[in-house]
Amino acid sequence: MTTDNLVHTGSDFARLSHRISAAGLMRRRPGYYTARIAVVTTLFAAGWVAFAFLGNSWWQLAIAAFQAVMFGQIALLSHDLAHKQVFRRRRPTEIAGMVAGNLGVGMSYGWWMDKHTRHHANPNHEELDPDVDPDILVWSKDQARAARGVPAFIGRYQAFLFFPLLTLEGLNLHWSGIRAVRKPGLRRRGVEAALLATHFAVYFSALLTVLSPGMALLFFAVHQGLWGVYMGSIFAPNHKGMPTLTGRPELDFLRKQVLTSRNVRGGAVVDVALGGLNYQIEHHLFPSMPSRHLRRAQPIVQAYCAELGIPYRQTSLVESYRQALTHLHEAGAPLRNRS
């Protein structure tokens, strides 16, 4: 059978995939990633050099905010590595991912990769997507009705508490990594544990050597808090407020990914700040596509969805947060109605 016949007889996603491949959008971009890694690494190192020169100064809080952004950018690089956007082979991917994740920001690369892979397989599925587990927040009214303990307490006003809670997300990522390396089953467990220990030893030694105890605590709070808010602000617009799934929904791959995802409009600043994840629909359909190509893939995917009559959601960054917070407030309604 010819390629043209396959295109006409294959699935809806196969036909879209053919268009994307024909446009050259699945090709690796080694030059782009070399430059991006060089820029992020240089800025990250420059931030710590400035930290050392400033000494025990209130200006260190500006460095804390700057390094919160750099931690987020390194985490985004780790994300692209996990999706094999940078290297084809597993070994260099793992090495670079652990250097960026474990050593760079103190987050277990293996733990996060496993969690994120399960999310991609079943986005917004209440039983299968770890990102919508009701461990702290509830993501649907059914989860709210079943909630007990902390989720039941927080869920009543979770829309108002969402951004304040994000200040703890950085600590949550650290703690999740520590828990992961303490349990058997994690691939490269010993290496990951050693890199995490090195990160924390160097980080806390730097803070306590350069800063007074009070300033070190303040730097830590600002740095980790803003990093958590930044990470949450990157991922919250993508699926929060979009339909959630349960059971065994009768959706093919194309519709499952498109209907549960939302794109965020914006220019170059938004693209850089969100690491290309503002093109969430395209990223979920083609996770190994270099983030640099997602902008070019967007009109192709949107036009194809229009051909098939599949709703394609795209909004501004502010509106995406409004929709996500509105959804959280509505999901918590059963908890507010409890007597």
Side-chain angles (χ1 to χ4, degrees), residues 177-194:
I178 293 170
R179 286 191 304 174
V181 299
R182 290 174 61 189
K183 297 186 296 185
L186 182 69
R187 182 179 170 85
R188 313 286 187 194
R189 179 185 173 199
V191 176
E192 290 218 28

Side-chain angles (χ1 to χ4, degrees), residues 267-334:
V269 173
V270 173
D271 287 2
V272 171
L274 301 189
L277 295 183
N278 42 315
Y279 305 104
Q280 187 68 192
I281 294 172
E282 289 70 35
H283 171 61
H284 260 256
L285 290 171
F286 304 99
S288 63
M289 178 186 291
S291 58
R292 182 74 170 178
H293 288 167
L294 293 171
R295 173 182 280 272
R296 291 172 55 197
Q298 188 274 327
I300 299 174
V301 174
Q302 185 176 24
Y304 186 70
C305 287
E307 289 177 24
L308 299 181
I310 300 174
Y312 181 100
R313 303 297 174 85
Q314 187 171 223
T315 186
S316 69
L317 184 61
V318 172
E319 175 61 17
S320 72
Y321 293 138
R322 189 198 69 79
Q323 291 180 15
L325 294 175
T326 298
H327 172 78
L328 283 172
H329 188 68
E330 292 173 352

Side-chain angles (χ1 to χ4, degrees), residues 73-305:
Q73 287 294 313
I74 292 172
L76 286 169
L77 278 172
S78 183
H79 167 272
D80 286 10
L81 285 160
H83 282 297
K84 293 186 170 63
Q85 295 176 20
V86 184
F87 303 108
R88 292 184 185 275
R89 294 189 296 120
R90 183 174 191 169
R91 184 171 179 80
T93 294
E94 283 188 341
I95 293 172
M98 288 187 290
V99 169
N102 296 60
L103 185 61
V105 298
M107 178 180 72
S108 168
Y109 171 78
W111 162 79
W112 183 87
M113 183 175 176
D114 173 72
K115 174 177 177 288
H116 195 61
T117 298
R118 288 185 284 126
H119 158 71
H120 265 262
N122 292 281
N124 266 23
H125 193 292
E126 293 183 25
E127 289 95 41
L128 301 175
D129 182 356
D131 287 356
V132 291
D133 278 347
D135 51 351
I136 296 294
L137 305 176
V138 294
W139 305 102
S140 70
K141 291 182 179 179
D142 286 341
Q143 288 184 347
R145 294 185 187 100
R148 299 291 184 273
V150 173
F153 176 76
I154 291 178
R156 289 179 171 85
Y157 305 105
Q158 60 185 8
F160 302 98
L161 296 173
F162 180 70
F163 280 104
L165 285 171
L166 286 183
T167 60
L168 302 175
E169 179 59 17
L171 299 180
N172 177 55
L173 292 172
H174 292 318
W175 178 239
S176 295
I178 293 170
R179 286 191 304 174
V181 299
R182 290 174 61 189
K183 297 186 296 185
L186 182 69
R187 182 179 170 85
R188 313 286 187 194
R189 179 185 173 199
V191 176
E192 290 218 28
L195 290 173
L196 280 178
T198 301
H199 168 86
F200 293 126
V202 172
Y203 179 79
F204 288 115
S205 294
L207 263 59
L208 294 173
T209 300
V210 174
L211 306 177
S212 66
M215 185 60 73
L217 184 61
L218 191 56
F219 182 99
F220 177 81
V222 171
H223 178 213
Q224 298 295 326
L226 290 181
W227 178 46
V229 171
Y230 183 31
M231 291 296 288
S233 298
I234 290 171
F235 289 94
N238 302 335
H239 302 282
K240 306 313 182 230
M242 297 302 292
T244 57
L245 307 175
T246 57
R248 299 183 62 181
E250 299 297 323
L251 293 174
D252 62 4
F253 176 79
L254 175 66
R255 288 162 179 81
K256 178 170 66 173
Q257 302 297 339
V258 174
L259 295 176
T260 58
S261 303
R262 176 199 296 113
N263 275 15
V264 174
R265 290 191 300 268
V269 173
V270 173
D271 287 2
V272 171
L274 301 189
L277 295 183
N278 42 315
Y279 305 104
Q280 187 68 192
I281 294 172
E282 289 70 35
H283 171 61
H284 260 256
L285 290 171
F286 304 99
S288 63
M289 178 186 291
S291 58
R292 182 74 170 178
H293 288 167
L294 293 171
R295 173 182 280 272
R296 291 172 55 197
Q298 188 274 327
I300 299 174
V301 174
Q302 185 176 24
Y304 186 70
C305 287

Side-chain angles (χ1 to χ4, degrees), residues 35-65:
R36 181 175 164 188
I37 291 169
V39 169
V40 170
T41 302
T42 299
L43 291 174
F44 179 68
W48 288 118
V49 170
F51 170 86
F53 275 102
L54 278 174
N56 194 46
S57 164
W58 285 99
W59 284 105
Q60 292 285 16
L61 299 186
I63 300 297

